[in-house]
Amino acid sequence: MPDATVVHDEVVMADGAKMTARDVDVFYGEKQAVDKVSIDVDSHYVTAFIGPSGCGKSTFLRCFNRMNDTIDIARVGGRIELDGKDIYDPKMDVVQLRARVGMVFQKPNPFPKSIYENIAYGPRIHGLASAKADMDEIVERSLTRAGLWNEVKDRLDESGTAMSGGQQQRLCIARAIAVDPEVILMDEPCSALDPIATARIEELIDDLRGNYAIVIVTHNMQQAARVSQRTAFFHLGNLVEYGGTEAIFTNPRADRTRDYITGRFG
Amino acid sequence: MAPPNAHIVKSFDDDLRALRSIIGEMGGLARSGLDRSIQSLLSFDMELAERVIADDRRIDDLEMEVEAFAISIIARRAPMAQDLREVIAALKIGALIERIGDYGKNISKRVASISDSKYRGAGSGVERMGQMVSEQVDDAMRAFLDRDPYLARAVNDQDEAIDDFYESLFQTLLGEIAEDSELTAPATHYIFIIKNLERIGDHATNIAEMVHYSATGEYLEARAKGGDATGLTLPL
């Protein structure tokens, strides 16, 4: 039986959380990857999920927009809500859910299409723009928000895959933003990028904060400390501790958190 | 097999150990400077007083070493949690010990002036207060070296006794000046000396507060630091 999650007072939410998870289990076949995890995600903050490889943090993140549905042997139990609505309800439109809860992956994965089309694709299938002018505006706004507009405005017809890695990742973030999501999930968004490109993404996350609930999974503890206001530490499928980022990195309460973030043997 | 509390990167532990050891050396030197300054005062030993003054330079050098080392650890290791608290505590404690060294040096600097006068009145009080403060510094340093929050709290609690002792000595010296104006000069030197001792006590308490924070992540509740009767500091 794992120890109960240590939850700091400052992350206990007085009013509604953007997303809540309650007693979430994830199994891959027989193997349990996530064990009874409960957490509230606040829309005003960046929440970081940290923990060693195999701790379940990415698997858990992927429950928030039902990405685990695409894995045949994955089974999700418990309850996850977006604005109080069960996202695993059979009546939930998963395509719609993924527009509201966007995702950015470890490896930038732009479509093999023009920069313009990378952004326009989502709004088009969701019917967000009726005229070319509307679409142009969405493309410009999304690229501007992602800090990419000035770099690409003169070459919107070029292929998204011809950009640098950091630009590709910002393009993917622009693509997620284009459908006007409420939550953005980021799974190791900088692990394939150099420090400068990483800093640009972190700056972007800072800019986006407040407009979207952002949840970021990262191996890099310094990155969690830099970009997030809430930090959740996972170990062996358990949520060990959840608190304000400053408290987690200066005075963690659980022994396992302390040993992990200070680089000690557990 | 590494000890259970060791870092995966062993050289990180070496760095933290080395940092602690410099602080430990500084503490030893500052306490020795304090003890010898009182001794030089009581026996009007000018030679000893000069040595205390000269030896203080070594404490200053070590403080700069602590500062450079702490900055280097922060830059290279990015310490977190108790490691971060320990490095920050070392940085602040280094500065506090350096101040303690300065107060000891200041006391020694007054030996020459006092030895000119026939006044011997405050000697035993200063001796007693010097012992109390010296023990306080020793306890604070032991708390640091043992990462002992209980001893740190005890140091914090003991400071009040030093403050009370200071107040009574201060009143005594004021009284002696009032009775015999020829004592104004030497008694004023003694007032500065006991004020220095009282400040050393405060710094030992500040060290203890940093030790407590470093060991537990919690701050000791603030308490007024002494010498209120002189009207120079206000109660918190």
Side-chain angles (χ1 to χ4, degrees):
Chain A
M1 185 66 197
D3 297 335
T5 302
V6 176
V7 180
H8 295 215
D9 288 345
E10 68 176 298
V11 296
V12 175
M13 251 161 275
D15 46 14
K18 189 66 194 173
M19 296 196 79
T20 60
R22 290 294 175 268
D23 293 326
V24 171
D25 292 319
V26 183
F27 290 86
Y28 291 125
E30 292 297 300
K31 192 185 173 322
Q32 186 164 13
V34 173
D35 187 1
K36 295 253 171 309
V37 171
S38 299
I39 199 169
D40 291 347
V41 172
D42 190 308
S43 57
H44 304 98
Y45 298 111
V46 177
T47 303
F49 290 176
I50 63 169
S53 298
C55 70
K57 59 189 188 299
S58 287
T59 299
F60 182 60
L61 183 81
R62 295 161 70 92
C63 295
F64 280 76
N65 69 349
R66 295 183 53 174
M67 290 301 281
N68 290 318
D69 290 12
T70 60
I71 301 170
D72 285 343
I73 59 166
R75 188 160 53 79
V76 178
R79 189 177 173 89
I80 296 182
E81 295 177 353
L82 173 62
D83 286 336
K85 297 267 173 11
D86 179 7
I87 65 167
Y88 282 86
D89 187 314
K91 291 196 288 289
M92 174 63 72
D93 176 347
V94 179
V95 174
Q96 199 57 43
L97 170 70
R98 289 183 191 146
R100 293 176 67 193
V101 184
M103 195 153 195
V104 176
F105 297 87
Q106 181 169 358
K107 205 164 160 287
N109 56 352
F111 305 133
K113 289 172 181 288
S114 71
I115 292 170
Y116 187 96
E117 277 306 311
N118 263 278
I119 307 299
Y121 180 80
R124 187 174 297 129
I125 63 167
H126 288 286
L128 297 181
S130 49
K132 171 86 165 73
D134 293 342
M135 188 60 89
D136 287 351
E137 197 198 317
I138 290 175
V139 169
E140 178 172 348
R141 190 177 61 224
S142 304
L143 288 169
T144 301
R145 278 205 171 166
L148 208 52
W149 177 248
N150 286 332
E151 290 165 58
V152 302
K153 63 184 178 199
D154 299 323
R155 50 187 184 111
L156 292 174
D157 294 338
E158 289 177 25
S159 172
T161 55
M163 306 163 88
S164 75
Q167 285 176 324
Q168 287 187 26
Q169 195 61 304
R170 280 183 283 147
L171 181 65
C172 292
I173 292 173
R175 187 176 65 187
I177 290 170
V179 294
D180 215 6
E182 296 153 55
V183 181
I184 303 175
L185 308 175
M186 299 184 175
D187 190 0
E188 298 271 6
C190 302
S191 61
L193 305 181
D194 73 20
I196 301 293
T198 297
R200 292 226 168 87
I201 300 285
E202 291 180 3
E203 168 65 12
L204 176 55
I205 291 170
D206 228 26
D207 282 346
L208 300 177
R209 169 159 66 92
N211 297 313
Y212 315 93
I214 298 174
V215 186
I216 178 172
V217 161
T218 176
H219 262 121
N220 180 335
M221 284 184 293
Q222 296 296 333
Q223 179 167 66
R226 287 191 299 261
V227 303
S228 74
Q229 293 74 47
R230 305 272 184 262
T231 296
F233 169 63
F234 292 79
H235 187 235
L236 301 174
N238 305 129
L239 174 56
V240 175
E241 186 163 356
Y242 182 38
T245 296
E246 198 181 312
I248 293 289
F249 286 104
T250 61
N251 195 13
R253 298 200 200 132
D255 289 350
R256 282 195 283 174
T257 315
R258 195 194 57 209
D259 287 347
Y260 179 71
I261 67 166
T262 61
R264 285 178 164 80
F265 291 101
Chain B
M1 184 68 192
N5 214 24
H7 287 93
I8 296 166
V9 177
K10 292 186 199 70
S11 54
F12 191 176
D13 286 324
D14 296 339
D15 278 357
L16 290 176
R17 238 191 323 271
L19 184 63
R20 295 176 72 72
S21 116
I22 306 173
I23 297 278
E25 184 183 350
M26 284 184 77
L29 289 172
R31 189 189 179 204
S32 152
L34 166 63
D35 290 347
R36 287 182 303 151
S37 73
I38 298 294
Q39 203 185 320
S40 68
L41 179 71
L42 295 173
S43 56
F44 300 110
D45 183 339
M46 287 305 300
E47 221 173 282
L48 185 57
E50 292 296 334
R51 268 211 305 281
V52 171
I53 293 164
D55 289 351
D56 183 57
R57 205 165 304 146
R58 171 74 183 143
I59 300 178
D60 295 349
D61 291 345
L62 286 172
E63 193 220 349
M64 291 175 70
E65 221 177 283
V66 165
E67 196 172 303
F69 200 10
I71 288 169
S72 154
I73 291 175
I74 291 169
R76 290 181 297 115
R77 309 281 187 196
M80 292 286 192
Q82 78 265 39
D83 299 331
L84 176 61
R85 300 199 306 264
E86 176 152 327
V87 173
I88 296 300
L91 200 55
K92 295 186 80 167
I93 289 171
L96 290 165
I97 298 174
E98 190 274 330
R99 292 296 297 151
I100 290 174
D102 285 349
Y103 287 126
K105 181 172 74 176
N106 286 349
I107 292 171
S108 292
K109 281 182 176 169
R110 295 184 188 278
V111 171
S113 315
I114 291 180
S115 65
D116 293 343
S117 127
K118 297 182 297 279
Y119 178 69
R120 299 288 181 266
S124 67
V126 168
E127 183 176 17
R128 174 73 200 114
M129 190 172 172
Q131 281 166 355
M132 291 168 79
V133 169
S134 174
E135 279 163 25
Q136 186 82 331
V137 171
D138 189 46
D139 284 348
M141 290 313 301
R142 274 198 296 126
F144 171 77
L145 293 170
D146 297 340
R147 295 190 178 91
D148 182 345
Y150 302 101
L151 184 53
R153 182 177 286 278
V155 169
N156 196 56
D157 293 343
Q158 285 154 25
D159 189 50
E160 208 172 336
I162 292 175
D163 291 346
D164 291 347
F165 200 85
Y166 164 75
E167 307 249 332
S168 78
L169 272 182
F170 178 71
Q171 295 302 336
T172 306
L173 287 161
L174 282 187
E176 293 191 4
I177 293 170
E179 270 177 35
D180 182 352
S181 63
E182 277 189 30
L183 295 181
T184 303
T188 302
H189 280 297
Y190 274 109
I191 286 175
F192 278 113
I193 287 167
I194 62 171
K195 185 67 196 169
N196 284 347
L197 290 174
E198 189 271 329
R199 290 299 295 153
I200 293 175
D202 285 348
H203 283 347
T205 308
N206 291 336
I207 291 172
E209 284 169 3
M210 286 316 297
V211 168
H212 192 274
Y213 170 71
S214 174
T216 66
E218 310 282 338
Y219 290 102
L220 280 170
E221 53 285 359
R223 59 169 292 270
K225 290 193 186 73
D228 297 337
T230 66
L232 294 175
T233 54
L234 294 171
L236 289 174

